[in-house]
Structure formats: structure tokens, C-alpha cells
Amino acid sequence: DVQLQASGGGLVQAGGSLRLSCAVSGFTTDDYTVAWFRQAPGKEREGVSCFSTFNNNTYYTDSAKGRFTVSPNSAKNTVYLQMSSLKPDDTAEYYCGADVGARPYYYCSGYGRIRYWGRGTQVTVSS
């Protein structure tokens, strides 16, 4: 079974940094996309960044461009989301999901396109 586990959330001041981790297991292929999404209270889950383990292609949504960076460990079974210059608007539950294929843009465009999800990790940015 595919399993994902997000960790690393916490409380940080505005302007600070935080690194989230997403541990992935259970895929029978090396070709899948890991997706970072977030959901603030009362809002829909939105894409942040998506990373292809096959070709390392990465897609960043507007909310992440220039501030967030995605990178894998050497085995590509853990994908990190490095977040910098955090703002109060970044406060949300952050989720990692994954599905087969090298399709970062496609998966980041809608959480309903992703079959596998882990539990979220809360990020709170204080002003």
C-alpha cells in the first residue's frame, strides 16, 4: 500500500523558515509525482508545489514561487518543502500526496487528481 507521512510543521514568526518532509513508501514504480498542498480553515485545499521523481521536474504555484523550494533525498523516497519568507497567509494544514506518472503541473492543478494522501502537518505563521 502507498503511504505518505508529512512532518515538520510548527509555529514560526513571519519572515521565518520551515522545512516540511514527506516520506513516501509503497510505490512499485520509480515514476510518480509528490504533491504538496495546503488547506487553511474555511478554504479549499490548494496546490503548493509538485515534484516528479522520474525527471525531477518541479512545478510551483504562484503562492510558492520564489519562496518555497522542493527537493528530494538521494533515494527520492522523502521529498522536502523548504519554505522561506513565511507570511501569516501561509498558515494552513500542509498535506503531501502522490500519484503515478511524471505530471507535476497536472497534479498540482487539482487535489482531486491525486489518489494517495497522508495526514497533514500544521504550519502557523505569526505576525
Side-chain angles (χ1 to χ4, degrees):
D1 290 353
V2 174
Q3 294 187 343
L4 300 103
Q5 184 169 354
S7 61
L11 174 64
V12 62
Q13 288 189 331
S17 299
L18 209 56
R19 189 178 80 161
L20 306 183
S21 300
C22 176
V24 184
S25 63
F27 274 106
T28 57
T29 175
D30 292 335
D31 180 9
Y32 55 90
T33 295
V34 177
W36 283 102
F37 274 66
R38 67 186 183 185
Q39 188 166 19
K43 295 188 176 181
E44 194 169 292
R45 192 174 295 192
E46 64 172 0
V48 176
S49 182
C50 293
F51 171 81
S52 165
T53 61
F54 178 71
N55 55 22
N56 291 346
N57 281 353
T58 307
Y59 176 75
Y60 295 97
T61 64
D62 288 345
S63 64
K65 284 177 184 175
R67 299 189 300 128
F68 296 179
T69 303
V70 170
S71 62
N73 66 348
S74 56
K76 293 189 181 180
N77 55 12
T78 300
V79 176
Y80 303 102
L81 178 68
Q82 177 69 47
M83 304 186 294
S84 303
S85 302
L86 284 163
K87 309 172 185 177
D89 284 350
D90 295 316
T91 295
E93 189 86 2
Y94 283 70
Y95 297 88
C96 66
D99 214 318
V100 296
R103 311 175 75 180
Y105 174 76
Y106 173 78
Y107 287 128
C108 255
S109 298
Y111 69 86
R113 300 175 177 184
I114 300 168
R115 288 179 291 171
Y116 307 107
W117 290 97
R119 290 186 175 183
T121 184
Q122 177 68 35
V123 172
T124 302
V125 184
S126 63
S127 57

